[in-house]
Amino acid sequence: MRCVFVQFRCVPGKTYEVADAIYDREVVSELYSTSGDFDLMAKIYVPADQDVGRFLSDKLFDIPGIQRTLTTMTFKAF
């Protein structure tokens, strides 16, 4: 499994709906509301045999109310 973090910028007023929809997909390990340029941050474990971009696109990025995402790949946990 590969750990990635995805930040989501939501349409104003839609953050809770987006968060509920993300959780309904049963893909994320953890989901947080955040301050700053993005509204939500998710910790996601992508199966090692899956393409990260396709996995995220197929599982999450079609949720209504998402304006923009930022994906951060991880290398090593300390």
Side-chain angles (χ1 to χ4, degrees):
M1 299 288 254
R2 287 176 286 181
C3 178
V4 299
F5 289 89
V6 180
Q7 295 181 71
F8 299 88
R9 181 178 298 148
C10 303
V11 172
K14 298 294 183 182
T15 302
Y16 285 91
E17 290 175 32
V18 171
D20 289 341
I22 290 170
Y23 258 122
D24 288 346
R25 303 280 176 104
E26 297 182 355
V27 175
V28 301
S29 172
E30 300 171 45
L31 182 63
Y32 299 95
S33 60
T34 59
S35 63
D37 290 336
F38 291 85
D39 303 300
L40 300 168
M41 181 184 297
K43 182 178 185 181
I44 302 166
Y45 290 97
V46 178
D49 64 339
Q50 297 279 327
D51 176 86
V52 173
R54 180 171 295 266
F55 181 87
L56 295 174
S57 181
D58 289 348
K59 303 286 186 182
L60 292 173
F61 293 166
D62 64 336
I63 293 173
I66 296 174
Q67 279 188 333
R68 182 178 175 164
T69 63
L70 174 66
T71 302
T72 302
M73 306 288 290
T74 63
F75 300 109
K76 178 176 174 54
F78 294 94

